Amino acid sequence: KVDAVQIITGFFGRDREAGLVDQAAHRFGGHLKMMRQLARRHRREIFLRQHLKGKARAPCRQLQTPFVGASGQFHLGAMRNTNSRMLQQIGSDTGWDSIGDFPQGIALAKFLNRLDADDKLAKTIIYNLNPADNELIATMSGNFNDGSIAGKVQFGAAWWFLDQKDGMIKQMNALSNMSLLSKFVGMVTDSRSFLSFPRHEYFRRILCNLFGEEVEKGELPDDPEWIGKIIRDICYHNARQYFNFQPSDAALTAGQTK
């Protein structure tokens, strides 16, 4: 039986500043089952924050293995299960999370640089939960775009608490100001739920409105063909190319008619 906590602490080392493993042991009195559960929830945060302080003990080739030929997607900034009483009563993922204020820049730079130095940096999308870090993530992604793949490392769509109108606008403005909005892969959903599909329509309306307002102000050219191509790329074509999706015949036909 695999012990998630043992693997994580052995692979990345202990990070008392982050406190993700140590807090679990303290909070639940060493209850191994709860420690394993919490460790799984924090695996992405641990992956980035503990390794990138230079304390990882595994060779880079081992670190990169899961992402060779694929796309790595990292979600940063969540503070999970803050109410220990409710966590013990009704479990995790029941509404006791919030935006965190963890330092991200130095650790993230070391992480991406280590992979890039060994030519093992895969296509990477970084999602940020703290709006105070929007510009940091947008500029950091640009440091590792070498021209081999369009938008290879990029600032991902607003997510979780920021997955609403104000959050989406701030994310896209930061990306546009600091990076390249035209290569953005747009909205994603990790819920695998039919009812989550409307968020893509919501995103498209906000995106179109953002462009439309800037055209009206004279900040962008009044060129429907040029603007329309950028919007279609963000809403469909960029993601198809980035993730190597094979479109259906119906999708190809629809794209040719627009």
Side-chain angles (χ1 to χ4, degrees):
K1 187 174 182 179
V2 176
D3 187 331
V5 174
Q6 183 178 8
I7 290 175
I8 290 172
T9 55
F11 190 76
F12 298 112
R14 297 167 69 90
D15 181 358
R16 293 188 178 277
E17 182 181 343
L20 298 177
V21 175
D22 293 332
Q23 286 177 11
H26 174 74
R27 182 176 297 171
F28 302 113
H31 195 297
L32 187 57
K33 181 178 179 181
M34 295 300 289
M35 288 173 65
R36 287 173 179 164
Q37 182 183 46
L38 189 58
R40 284 194 296 269
R41 303 300 178 188
H42 284 299
R43 64 188 182 276
R44 290 192 183 97
E45 197 81 33
I46 293 172
F47 186 89
L48 286 176
R49 299 191 64 239
Q50 292 187 318
H51 165 66
L52 293 206
K53 294 184 176 190
K55 296 182 179 179
R57 295 171 184 162
C60 190
R61 57 183 174 79
Q62 292 180 339
L63 179 67
Q64 175 60 7
T65 298
F67 306 116
V68 172
S71 302
Q73 301 190 49
F74 302 99
H75 295 71
L76 307 183
M79 187 180 297
R80 305 299 307 274
N81 302 317
T82 59
N83 189 325
S84 60
R85 179 175 62 85
M86 297 307 298
L87 176 64
Q88 293 183 53
Q89 287 184 11
I90 59 178
S92 60
D93 299 330
T94 52
W96 316 107
D97 311 314
S98 65
I99 292 173
D101 59 351
F102 317 111
Q104 304 283 7
I106 295 176
L108 182 59
K110 289 181 178 179
F111 175 64
L112 297 174
N113 183 63
R114 178 170 177 181
L115 293 175
D116 184 73
D118 288 316
D119 195 25
K120 294 182 179 294
L121 181 60
K123 292 179 288 187
T124 301
I125 303 177
I126 304 168
Y127 302 90
N128 172 51
L129 192 56
N130 189 335
D133 291 331
N134 280 350
E135 283 75 15
L136 185 157
I137 301 298
T139 54
M140 184 67 70
S141 64
N143 296 334
F144 299 94
N145 278 302
D146 55 11
S148 61
I149 300 171
K152 177 180 177 179
V153 180
Q154 61 177 273
F155 180 19
W159 72 292
W160 202 338
F161 298 109
L162 306 183
D163 187 8
Q164 29 76 11
K165 182 180 179 181
D166 183 63
M168 291 183 188
I169 291 174
K170 287 180 178 177
Q171 185 272 337
M172 285 189 281
N173 277 330
L175 179 58
S176 179
N177 290 336
M178 305 292 176
S179 187
L180 195 58
L181 184 62
S182 63
K183 297 303 179 182
F184 182 32
V185 297
M187 178 52 63
V188 296
T189 175
D190 58 1
S191 64
R192 298 170 296 280
S193 168
F194 176 78
L195 295 179
S196 73
F197 289 179
R199 83 165 63 180
H200 293 270
E201 175 65 15
Y202 185 54
F203 168 82
R204 287 191 289 267
R205 289 174 179 269
I206 293 171
L207 175 67
C208 290
N209 192 59
L210 187 66
F211 271 89
E213 288 181 348
E214 293 188 1
V215 169
E216 286 185 345
K217 294 176 183 178
E219 296 174 356
L220 288 175
D222 187 4
D223 186 339
E225 183 177 351
W226 179 69
I227 296 290
K229 181 182 184 305
I230 294 176
I231 291 175
R232 288 193 298 273
D233 286 344
I234 294 172
C235 294
Y236 174 69
H237 295 289
N238 288 348
R240 186 187 109 189
Q241 181 178 4
Y242 190 85
F243 296 111
N244 297 320
F245 291 150
Q246 298 301 317
S248 64
D249 292 339
L252 285 174
T253 302
Q256 292 172 355
T257 60
K258 293 183 179 181

mmCIF file with all atom_site columns, all heavy atoms in Angstrom, residues 73-84:
data_model
loop_
_atom_site.group_PDB
_atom_site.id
_atom_site.type_symbol
_atom_site.label_atom_id
_atom_site.label_alt_id
_atom_site.label_comp_id
_atom_site.label_asym_id
_atom_site.label_entity_id
_atom_site.label_seq_id
_atom_site.pdbx_PDB_ins_code
_atom_site.Cartn_x
_atom_site.Cartn_y
_atom_site.Cartn_z
_atom_site.occupancy
_atom_site.B_iso_or_equiv
_atom_site.pdbx_formal_charge
_atom_site.auth_seq_id
_atom_site.auth_comp_id
_atom_site.auth_asym_id
_atom_site.auth_atom_id
_atom_site.pdbx_PDB_model_num
ATOM 1  N N   . GLN A 1 73 ? -0.213  21.393 -15.828 1.00 0.00 ? 73 GLN A N   1
ATOM 2  C CA  . GLN A 1 73 ? -1.089  22.476 -15.392 1.00 0.00 ? 73 GLN A CA  1
ATOM 3  C C   . GLN A 1 73 ? -1.032  22.561 -13.870 1.00 0.00 ? 73 GLN A C   1
ATOM 4  O O   . GLN A 1 73 ? -1.312  21.587 -13.182 1.00 0.00 ? 73 GLN A O   1
ATOM 5  C CB  . GLN A 1 73 ? -2.517  22.244 -15.875 1.00 0.00 ? 73 GLN A CB  1
ATOM 6  C CG  . GLN A 1 73 ? -2.612  22.135 -17.391 1.00 0.00 ? 73 GLN A CG  1
ATOM 7  C CD  . GLN A 1 73 ? -4.038  22.154 -17.888 1.00 0.00 ? 73 GLN A CD  1
ATOM 8  O OE1 . GLN A 1 73 ? -4.833  23.017 -17.514 1.00 0.00 ? 73 GLN A OE1 1
ATOM 9  N NE2 . GLN A 1 73 ? -4.382  21.193 -18.734 1.00 0.00 ? 73 GLN A NE2 1
ATOM 10 N N   . PHE A 1 74 ? -0.670  23.745 -13.370 1.00 0.00 ? 74 PHE A N   1
ATOM 11 C CA  . PHE A 1 74 ? -0.475  23.934 -11.939 1.00 0.00 ? 74 PHE A CA  1
ATOM 12 C C   . PHE A 1 74 ? -1.394  25.035 -11.412 1.00 0.00 ? 74 PHE A C   1
ATOM 13 O O   . PHE A 1 74 ? -1.463  26.119 -11.981 1.00 0.00 ? 74 PHE A O   1
ATOM 14 C CB  . PHE A 1 74 ? 0.983   24.281 -11.651 1.00 0.00 ? 74 PHE A CB  1
ATOM 15 C CG  . PHE A 1 74 ? 1.945   23.233 -12.126 1.00 0.00 ? 74 PHE A CG  1
ATOM 16 C CD1 . PHE A 1 74 ? 2.628   23.381 -13.325 1.00 0.00 ? 74 PHE A CD1 1
ATOM 17 C CD2 . PHE A 1 74 ? 2.141   22.079 -11.392 1.00 0.00 ? 74 PHE A CD2 1
ATOM 18 C CE1 . PHE A 1 74 ? 3.499   22.402 -13.773 1.00 0.00 ? 74 PHE A CE1 1
ATOM 19 C CE2 . PHE A 1 74 ? 3.016   21.095 -11.828 1.00 0.00 ? 74 PHE A CE2 1
ATOM 20 C CZ  . PHE A 1 74 ? 3.688   21.250 -13.015 1.00 0.00 ? 74 PHE A CZ  1
ATOM 21 N N   . HIS A 1 75 ? -2.057  24.728 -10.313 1.00 0.00 ? 75 HIS A N   1
ATOM 22 C CA  . HIS A 1 75 ? -2.975  25.673 -9.673  1.00 0.00 ? 75 HIS A CA  1
ATOM 23 C C   . HIS A 1 75 ? -2.348  26.145 -8.371  1.00 0.00 ? 75 HIS A C   1
ATOM 24 O O   . HIS A 1 75 ? -2.150  25.347 -7.447  1.00 0.00 ? 75 HIS A O   1
ATOM 25 C CB  . HIS A 1 75 ? -4.316  25.004 -9.412  1.00 0.00 ? 75 HIS A CB  1
ATOM 26 C CG  . HIS A 1 75 ? -5.048  24.612 -10.662 1.00 0.00 ? 75 HIS A CG  1
ATOM 27 N ND1 . HIS A 1 75 ? -4.624  23.577 -11.472 1.00 0.00 ? 75 HIS A ND1 1
ATOM 28 C CD2 . HIS A 1 75 ? -6.163  25.120 -11.247 1.00 0.00 ? 75 HIS A CD2 1
ATOM 29 C CE1 . HIS A 1 75 ? -5.453  23.461 -12.508 1.00 0.00 ? 75 HIS A CE1 1
ATOM 30 N NE2 . HIS A 1 75 ? -6.384  24.383 -12.391 1.00 0.00 ? 75 HIS A NE2 1
ATOM 31 N N   . LEU A 1 76 ? -2.051  27.439 -8.296  1.00 0.00 ? 76 LEU A N   1
ATOM 32 C CA  . LEU A 1 76 ? -1.321  27.997 -7.154  1.00 0.00 ? 76 LEU A CA  1
ATOM 33 C C   . LEU A 1 76 ? -2.208  28.915 -6.312  1.00 0.00 ? 76 LEU A C   1
ATOM 34 O O   . LEU A 1 76 ? -3.042  29.635 -6.843  1.00 0.00 ? 76 LEU A O   1
ATOM 35 C CB  . LEU A 1 76 ? -0.108  28.794 -7.641  1.00 0.00 ? 76 LEU A CB  1
ATOM 36 C CG  . LEU A 1 76 ? 0.860   28.095 -8.592  1.00 0.00 ? 76 LEU A CG  1
ATOM 37 C CD1 . LEU A 1 76 ? 2.028   29.018 -8.905  1.00 0.00 ? 76 LEU A CD1 1
ATOM 38 C CD2 . LEU A 1 76 ? 1.352   26.786 -8.018  1.00 0.00 ? 76 LEU A CD2 1
ATOM 39 N N   . GLY A 1 77 ? -1.956  28.888 -5.005  1.00 0.00 ? 77 GLY A N   1
ATOM 40 C CA  . GLY A 1 77 ? -2.527  29.915 -4.141  1.00 0.00 ? 77 GLY A CA  1
ATOM 41 C C   . GLY A 1 77 ? -3.721  29.532 -3.309  1.00 0.00 ? 77 GLY A C   1
ATOM 42 O O   . GLY A 1 77 ? -4.329  30.402 -2.682  1.00 0.00 ? 77 GLY A O   1
ATOM 43 N N   . ALA A 1 78 ? -4.091  28.259 -3.261  1.00 0.00 ? 78 ALA A N   1
ATOM 44 C CA  . ALA A 1 78 ? -5.258  27.857 -2.469  1.00 0.00 ? 78 ALA A CA  1
ATOM 45 C C   . ALA A 1 78 ? -4.861  27.543 -1.034  1.00 0.00 ? 78 ALA A C   1
ATOM 46 O O   . ALA A 1 78 ? -3.862  26.870 -0.796  1.00 0.00 ? 78 ALA A O   1
ATOM 47 C CB  . ALA A 1 78 ? -5.926  26.640 -3.093  1.00 0.00 ? 78 ALA A CB  1
ATOM 48 N N   . MET A 1 79 ? -5.628  28.014 -0.077  1.00 0.00 ? 79 MET A N   1
ATOM 49 C CA  . MET A 1 79 ? -5.462  27.653 1.320   1.00 0.00 ? 79 MET A CA  1
ATOM 50 C C   . MET A 1 79 ? -6.592  26.688 1.659   1.00 0.00 ? 79 MET A C   1
ATOM 51 O O   . MET A 1 79 ? -7.759  27.080 1.724   1.00 0.00 ? 79 MET A O   1
ATOM 52 C CB  . MET A 1 79 ? -5.517  28.897 2.213   1.00 0.00 ? 79 MET A CB  1
ATOM 53 C CG  . MET A 1 79 ? -5.187  28.620 3.675   1.00 0.00 ? 79 MET A CG  1
ATOM 54 S SD  . MET A 1 79 ? -5.277  30.127 4.683   1.00 0.00 ? 79 MET A SD  1
ATOM 55 C CE  . MET A 1 79 ? -3.967  31.107 3.941   1.00 0.00 ? 79 MET A CE  1
ATOM 56 N N   . ARG A 1 80 ? -6.247  25.421 1.855   1.00 0.00 ? 80 ARG A N   1
ATOM 57 C CA  . ARG A 1 80 ? -7.248  24.362 1.949   1.00 0.00 ? 80 ARG A CA  1
ATOM 58 C C   . ARG A 1 80 ? -7.590  23.999 3.388   1.00 0.00 ? 80 ARG A C   1
ATOM 59 O O   . ARG A 1 80 ? -6.756  24.014 4.272   1.00 0.00 ? 80 ARG A O   1
ATOM 60 C CB  . ARG A 1 80 ? -6.749  23.095 1.239   1.00 0.00 ? 80 ARG A CB  1
ATOM 61 C CG  . ARG A 1 80 ? -6.342  23.272 -0.215  1.00 0.00 ? 80 ARG A CG  1
ATOM 62 C CD  . ARG A 1 80 ? -7.491  23.743 -1.093  1.00 0.00 ? 80 ARG A CD  1
ATOM 63 N NE  . ARG A 1 80 ? -8.671  22.909 -0.967  1.00 0.00 ? 80 ARG A NE  1
ATOM 64 C CZ  . ARG A 1 80 ? -8.889  21.789 -1.662  1.00 0.00 ? 80 ARG A CZ  1
ATOM 65 N NH1 . ARG A 1 80 ? -7.995  21.390 -2.539  1.00 0.00 ? 80 ARG A NH1 1
ATOM 66 N NH2 . ARG A 1 80 ? -9.988  21.099 -1.483  1.00 0.00 ? 80 ARG A NH2 1
ATOM 67 N N   . ASN A 1 81 ? -8.867  23.619 3.584   1.00 0.00 ? 81 ASN A N   1
ATOM 68 C CA  . ASN A 1 81 ? -9.344  23.031 4.838   1.00 0.00 ? 81 ASN A CA  1
ATOM 69 C C   . ASN A 1 81 ? -8.921  23.842 6.060   1.00 0.00 ? 81 ASN A C   1
ATOM 70 O O   . ASN A 1 81 ? -8.294  23.336 6.988   1.00 0.00 ? 81 ASN A O   1
ATOM 71 C CB  . ASN A 1 81 ? -8.827  21.592 4.957   1.00 0.00 ? 81 ASN A CB  1
ATOM 72 C CG  . ASN A 1 81 ? -9.264  20.735 3.785   1.00 0.00 ? 81 ASN A CG  1
ATOM 73 O OD1 . ASN A 1 81 ? -10.400 20.786 3.344   1.00 0.00 ? 81 ASN A OD1 1
ATOM 74 N ND2 . ASN A 1 81 ? -8.338  19.947 3.250   1.00 0.00 ? 81 ASN A ND2 1
ATOM 75 N N   . THR A 1 82 ? -9.277  25.121 6.078   1.00 0.00 ? 82 THR A N   1
ATOM 76 C CA  . THR A 1 82 ? -8.842  26.004 7.152   1.00 0.00 ? 82 THR A CA  1
ATOM 77 C C   . THR A 1 82 ? -9.621  25.785 8.449   1.00 0.00 ? 82 THR A C   1
ATOM 78 O O   . THR A 1 82 ? -9.132  26.146 9.519   1.00 0.00 ? 82 THR A O   1
ATOM 79 C CB  . THR A 1 82 ? -9.003  27.477 6.730   1.00 0.00 ? 82 THR A CB  1
ATOM 80 O OG1 . THR A 1 82 ? -10.382 27.730 6.415   1.00 0.00 ? 82 THR A OG1 1
ATOM 81 C CG2 . THR A 1 82 ? -8.154  27.781 5.508   1.00 0.00 ? 82 THR A CG2 1
ATOM 82 N N   . ASN A 1 83 ? -10.799 25.216 8.374   1.00 0.00 ? 83 ASN A N   1
ATOM 83 C CA  . ASN A 1 83 ? -11.620 24.983 9.561   1.00 0.00 ? 83 ASN A CA  1
ATOM 84 C C   . ASN A 1 83 ? -11.487 23.516 9.959   1.00 0.00 ? 83 ASN A C   1
ATOM 85 O O   . ASN A 1 83 ? -12.169 22.642 9.427   1.00 0.00 ? 83 ASN A O   1
ATOM 86 C CB  . ASN A 1 83 ? -13.084 25.339 9.252   1.00 0.00 ? 83 ASN A CB  1
ATOM 87 C CG  . ASN A 1 83 ? -13.955 25.326 10.493  1.00 0.00 ? 83 ASN A CG  1
ATOM 88 O OD1 . ASN A 1 83 ? -13.760 24.517 11.391  1.00 0.00 ? 83 ASN A OD1 1
ATOM 89 N ND2 . ASN A 1 83 ? -14.934 26.224 10.531  1.00 0.00 ? 83 ASN A ND2 1
ATOM 90 N N   . SER A 1 84 ? -10.603 23.230 10.902  1.00 0.00 ? 84 SER A N   1
ATOM 91 C CA  . SER A 1 84 ? -10.314 21.838 11.256  1.00 0.00 ? 84 SER A CA  1
ATOM 92 C C   . SER A 1 84 ? -11.512 21.143 11.896  1.00 0.00 ? 84 SER A C   1
ATOM 93 O O   . SER A 1 84 ? -11.711 19.936 11.707  1.00 0.00 ? 84 SER A O   1
ATOM 94 C CB  . SER A 1 84 ? -9.106  21.780 12.194  1.00 0.00 ? 84 SER A CB  1
ATOM 95 O OG  . SER A 1 84 ? -9.353  22.513 13.376  1.00 0.00 ? 84 SER A OG  1
#
